[in-house]
Amino acid sequence: MGFLDYQVECTIPKDDGTLVSYVGFRIQHDNARGPMKGGIRYHPEVDPDEVNALAQLMTWKTAVADIPYGGAKGGIGCSPRDLSKSELERLTRVFTQKIHDLIGIHTDVPAPDMGTNAQTMAWILDEYSKFHGHSPAVVTGKPIDLGGSLGREAATGRGVVYATEALLAEYWKAVKGLTFIIQGFGNVGSWVARLIHERGGKVIAVSDVTGAVKNQNGIDIPQLLKHKETTGSLTGFSGGDSLDPSELLVHECDVLVPCALGGVLNRENAAHVKAKFIIEAANHPTDPEADEILSKKGVIILPDIYANAGGVTVSYFEWVQNIQGFMWDEDKVNKELKRYMTQAFHNIKTMCQTHHCNLRMGAFTLGVNRVARATLLRGWEA
């Protein structure tokens, strides 16, 4: 199935009674390997090209992780910050009414993304269930009380750490004793930092939009988390010195983990990167020119399409639990996640050996091959 791009108009009364309209959309890329899967974002600037790319990325990502899904993406062009909770609820319900025939347990399973969260998923589930009966498996990333999975909150960060361990094992190294720099201290970055710290890795610098902090002897991550919770910022932390955020990416370290925005490694700074390993926890943090410069320098890059697949993998576990009507404990979720991430790494590695290519090419080759095989087996390709 090629790209299908649906757009719907969502009109709601605001709290003051005036009517306002927003454009909602859902892009479905491919369903050869199973129902489509992808986030729903609420964001004022919805760039159709970016959303198309993200829908496509989900197709390859689920194939690399070997979970039975295809790719999709959707959202509403709005500023969630400017809407009250009840306005957001009305908007989400109207959007769900308009797309309830496009999504479904075995068709297309949305999840949270920028500007949406577990509460948004709860509203979608409730509205969808009015049409189709109670269907917890129609969305993932739900609150635990409505069939959300334990371990979902930490899943992307935990997957990044399992991926990192699999990569380091190839070089006879472990997390313990290596130095790490983490860009971005949101959901993913803070979990990566916490789990690296627990495993005896030294997190020597961290940054987010509020600033950056460094400590050559390793930052006390639990203390930094407390500091950020109380002050809302990384600045003023007593357990480290402040650092110019632009220097973070080129600071001396063993492993660099970009967990924030795309395109942060580019032709301007790539030549100055001192890390030996880059773990792409963000989507597209390395632009193509930087990729080339870093490869020539011998830097090992673990590609986003694999490194941050922990989130969608645990979303798959949530869906499985909902369909069975049987929930797992957190240990089982984490154990299964480790199994999937480790297996995927070995499959990528095999591709790299067969085709003499780097990890990014290996991962894409693996993903595209799996989708192509499913497409042929279904008899879709003339």
Side-chain angles (χ1 to χ4, degrees), residues 75-235:
I76 300 176
C78 70
S79 248
R81 248 171 255 166
D82 304 339
L83 295 167
S84 72
K85 189 170 177 185
S86 57
E87 287 166 345
L88 277 172
E89 178 174 353
R90 285 196 289 277
L91 180 55
T92 303
R93 288 181 182 277
V94 168
F95 181 50
T96 309
Q97 288 164 18
K98 303 263 179 169
I99 65 162
H100 78 90
D101 276 336
L102 301 175
I103 63 175
I105 296 169
H106 301 294
T107 320
D108 180 354
V109 181
D113 199 321
M114 286 163 65
T116 57
N117 56 24
Q119 179 59 74
T120 321
M121 298 303 109
W123 292 328
I124 295 176
L125 161 62
D126 183 68
E127 199 59 35
Y128 181 87
S129 297
K130 290 176 185 174
F131 296 91
H132 301 274
H134 183 57
S135 317
V138 75
V139 286
T140 59
K142 297 181 293 292
I144 302 292
D145 294 326
L146 286 177
S149 177
L150 295 171
R152 177 66 191 87
E153 192 59 27
T156 307
R158 195 177 284 280
V160 167
V161 175
Y162 289 148
T164 306
E165 289 179 318
L167 173 68
L168 292 174
E170 283 289 307
Y171 295 88
W172 305 99
K173 292 182 191 314
V175 167
K176 191 177 168 63
L178 294 185
T179 55
F180 291 78
I181 286 181
I182 297 171
Q183 184 198 38
F185 205 60
N187 176 286
V188 180
S190 62
W191 274 106
V192 171
R194 188 178 314 192
L195 295 165
I196 294 286
H197 183 76
E198 277 174 18
R199 283 161 169 73
K202 262 193 204 178
V203 181
I204 57 169
V206 173
S207 74
D208 69 1
V209 285
T210 66
V213 57
K214 70 166 178 182
N215 182 340
Q216 264 328 107
N217 303 316
I219 296 167
D220 183 338
I221 297 298
Q223 285 305 117
L224 184 61
L225 285 161
K226 262 188 211 146
H227 174 81
K228 184 169 178 189
E229 215 168 281
T230 46
T231 66
S233 154
L234 292 183
T235 49

Side-chain angles (χ1 to χ4, degrees), residues 25 54 63 89 99 205 225 229 234 250 324 355 357 366 370:
F25 60 93
L54 289 168
E89 178 174 353
I99 65 162
L225 285 161
E229 215 168 281
L234 292 183
V250 297
Q324 292 190 328
H355 297 283
C357 61
L366 176 63
R370 279 188 172 145

Side-chain angles (χ1 to χ4, degrees), residues 204-318:
I204 57 169
V206 173
S207 74
D208 69 1
V209 285
T210 66
V213 57
K214 70 166 178 182
N215 182 340
Q216 264 328 107
N217 303 316
I219 296 167
D220 183 338
I221 297 298
Q223 285 305 117
L224 184 61
L225 285 161
K226 262 188 211 146
H227 174 81
K228 184 169 178 189
E229 215 168 281
T230 46
T231 66
S233 154
L234 292 183
T235 49
F237 177 61
S238 57
D241 306 315
S242 68
L243 170 73
D244 177 353
S246 63
E247 293 194 358
L248 183 96
L249 296 168
V250 297
H251 197 285
E252 190 89 40
C253 68
D254 296 316
V255 186
L256 174 63
V257 193
C259 300
L261 298 166
V264 294
L265 293 165
N266 46 45
R267 73 158 97 130
E268 272 76 57
N269 59 14
H272 307 294
V273 168
K274 297 177 190 67
K276 304 171 191 70
F277 300 95
I278 293 173
I279 313 291
E280 294 190 332
N283 282 332
H284 289 315
T286 317
D287 76 14
E289 287 175 340
D291 217 13
E292 210 164 298
I293 296 167
L294 291 162
S295 289
K296 283 195 180 121
K297 283 180 62 167
V299 179
I300 309 290
I301 301 176
L302 198 60
D304 55 354
I305 184 182
Y306 159 66
N308 65 27
V312 70
T313 302
V314 175
S315 277
Y316 163 60
F317 299 162
E318 181 178 332

